[in-house]
């Protein structure tokens, strides 16, 4: 009995001692925390490089290029627009297709109005950018073939359920031809044309938000309210690109605010452009989480900054 009492007495002493030690450690840690702990991080020296972005659709009637300089995270002024650049597009033989210079600079971009649309080209196209005080940069890509697909449209053929009720939606289904063994990437938009109910003026085409069900082939393109469809995981399946489904807001026939025309735009993307868009969407979907793994923006430009991408487009009007 005496031994049990001694053990119990010592046990209380150990518990009390442990509590004191934990308290002292806590106070010590709080003291260090309040004083702050400084870790010097040495950032590597950064030499500014040309950042070049030129994205062209075969139906475009102008070329728009953005040329800027890269900047260190310590640079308070950040990237700067570069003037005096010479931008050249050339074919596989080295023949110049288009060229832009300071004469096409408008304050933030280099813009060249074309006599006709950009058109389609066979083989690789190379972008070369040269600017004073910078190393020359290049990028190469190819124009993808026109998308081939069947479109099925059903007025109010879908229903969207949410906590506030349900709403009828216009349903779209696209069936693409799948080239076996070749990765295909498509960017899809639906545009609506409206009339101003007060003035009667026809407004410009407005891109509609697309709702989709769970489909691993589809990624929302946040920059343009479109969707990107890719067969990367199933390019060997003949039916891999069939039944791509999405929906848009529906209007009652004759409704005051109903659009007067609807069109579907489908772009076939070069692999480089698809990678760029998908990496940007991945970056934007990261949100404000400070502990999230950072995502890198894809670039096919030799400097590591920017994108040279091509696309070919087909437009179908919905009857």
């Amino acid at each position: 009995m005496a031994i049990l009492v001694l053990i119990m007495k010592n046990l209380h002493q150990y518990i009390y001692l442990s509590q004191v030690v934990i308290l002292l450690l806590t106070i010590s840690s709080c003291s260090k925390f309040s004083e702050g702990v400084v870790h010097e991080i040495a950032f590597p020296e950064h030499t500014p490089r040309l950042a070049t972005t030129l994205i062209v659709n075969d139906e475009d009637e102008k070329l728009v290029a953005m040329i800027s300089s890269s900047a260190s995270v310590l640079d308070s002024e950040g990237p700067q627009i570069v003037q005096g650049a010479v931008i050249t597009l050339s074919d596989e033989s080295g023949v110049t297709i288009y060229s832009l210079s300071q004469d096409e600079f408008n304050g933030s971009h280099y813009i060249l109005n074309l006599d006709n649309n950009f058109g389609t080209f066979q083989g690789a196209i190379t972008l070369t950018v040269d600017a004073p005080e910078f190393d020359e940069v290049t990028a190469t890509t190819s124009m993808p073939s026109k998308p081939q697909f069947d479109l099925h449209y059903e007025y109010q053929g879908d229903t969207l359920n949410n906590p506030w009720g349900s709403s009828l939606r216009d349903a779209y289904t696209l069936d693409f031809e799948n080239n076996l063994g070749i990765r295909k990437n498509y960017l899809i938009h639906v545009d609506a044309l409206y009339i101003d109910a007060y003035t009667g003026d026809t407004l410009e085409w407005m891109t509609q938000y697309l709702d989709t069900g769970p489909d691993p082939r589809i990624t929302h393109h946040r920059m343009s309210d479109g969707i990107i469809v890719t067969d990367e995981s199933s390019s060997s399946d003949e039916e891999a690109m069939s039944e791509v489904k999405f929906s848009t807001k529906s209007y009652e026939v004759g409704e005051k605010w109903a659009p007067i025309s609807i069109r579907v735009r489908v772009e076939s993307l070069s692999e480089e452009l698809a990678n760029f868009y998908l990496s940007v969407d991945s970056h934007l979907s990261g949100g404000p989480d400070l502990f999230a793994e950072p995502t890198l923006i894809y670039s096919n430009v030799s400097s590591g900054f920017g994108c040279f991408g091509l696309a070919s487009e087909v437009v179908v009007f919905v009857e």
Side-chain angles (χ1 to χ4, degrees):
M1 185 66 180
I3 293 175
L4 180 59
V5 171
L6 179 60
I7 292 175
M8 293 299 295
K9 181 178 180 181
N10 289 338
L11 181 59
H12 286 295
Q13 289 177 345
Y14 293 149
I15 294 175
Y16 175 74
L17 181 59
S18 299
Q19 292 174 338
V20 171
V21 171
I22 293 173
L23 179 60
L24 290 174
L25 289 175
T26 303
I27 294 174
S28 175
S29 299
C30 290
S31 175
K32 291 181 179 179
F33 182 77
S34 63
E35 294 171 1
V37 179
V38 178
H39 293 283
E40 295 289 342
I41 300 177
F43 285 90
E45 292 292 330
H46 178 77
T47 301
R49 289 175 283 176
L50 287 176
T52 302
T53 297
L54 175 59
I55 297 173
V56 189
N57 183 304
D58 67 331
E59 300 294 336
D60 286 344
E61 297 179 350
K62 64 175 63 175
L63 298 180
V64 181
M66 183 174 183
I67 313 298
S68 61
S69 62
S70 63
S72 166
V73 294
L74 300 178
D75 188 342
S76 60
E77 296 184 356
Q80 300 294 307
I81 298 297
V82 174
Q83 298 190 46
V86 176
I87 306 156
T88 305
L89 294 179
S90 55
D91 62 16
E92 287 183 321
S93 301
V95 176
T96 298
I97 303 172
Y98 295 107
S99 180
L100 299 83
S101 63
Q102 184 63 27
D103 291 339
E104 282 73 47
F105 184 73
N106 76 337
S108 60
H109 295 78
Y110 292 81
I111 300 177
L112 176 64
N113 292 312
L114 308 178
D115 294 332
N116 297 297
N117 57 18
F118 183 78
T120 58
F121 296 88
Q122 298 297 320
I125 299 178
T126 298
L127 166 71
T128 303
V129 181
D130 193 10
E133 302 180 5
F134 290 93
D135 292 336
E136 179 184 274
V137 299
T138 60
T140 301
T141 188
S142 300
M143 176 68 73
S145 58
K146 288 277 192 180
Q148 298 181 5
F149 58 91
D150 293 322
L151 169 65
H152 176 70
Y153 167 78
E154 185 177 359
Y155 173 68
Q156 295 188 346
D158 196 7
T159 302
L160 179 65
N161 297 309
N162 55 58
W164 301 275
S166 61
S167 60
L168 294 174
R169 311 278 295 179
D170 292 344
Y172 300 78
T173 301
L174 291 179
D175 295 317
F176 290 95
E177 289 189 9
N178 192 30
N179 296 320
L180 300 183
I182 302 176
R183 176 189 174 191
K184 300 296 290 184
N185 309 278
Y186 303 100
L187 176 59
I188 302 171
H189 294 96
V190 175
D191 305 320
L193 186 64
Y194 298 90
I195 289 181
D196 190 309
Y198 298 104
T199 65
D201 297 333
T202 301
L203 305 177
E204 296 184 357
W205 289 97
M206 298 180 63
T207 302
Q208 307 297 291
Y209 181 79
L210 306 183
D211 280 304
T212 64
D215 189 330
R217 301 170 299 178
I218 296 177
T219 301
H220 278 275
H221 187 225
R222 292 170 175 79
M223 293 189 299
S224 67
D225 278 341
I227 56 174
I228 295 176
V229 181
T230 178
D231 67 344
E232 181 176 13
S233 61
S234 53
S235 57
S236 61
D237 182 358
E238 292 184 357
E239 302 299 322
M241 297 299 284
S242 63
E243 295 192 355
V244 176
K245 297 178 179 293
F246 52 91
S247 65
T248 62
K249 181 178 180 180
S250 182
Y251 296 85
E252 296 294 336
V253 176
E255 185 177 344
K256 184 177 182 180
W257 304 106
I260 60 173
S261 184
I262 297 174
R263 68 183 184 186
V264 178
R265 290 185 290 119
V266 180
E267 295 180 74
S268 182
L269 308 178
S270 64
E271 184 172 353
E272 295 80 7
L273 183 54
N275 289 336
F276 175 70
Y277 280 158
L278 290 171
S279 68
V280 170
D281 282 317
S282 177
H283 176 76
L284 294 176
S285 65
D289 186 357
L290 298 177
F291 301 100
E293 187 72 19
T295 56
L296 299 177
I297 304 299
Y298 171 87
S299 174
N300 64 327
V301 180
S302 59
S303 64
F305 300 99
C307 176
F308 173 42
L310 298 177
S312 59
E313 182 182 60
V314 170
V315 179
V316 177
F317 287 86
V318 175
E319 300 296 335

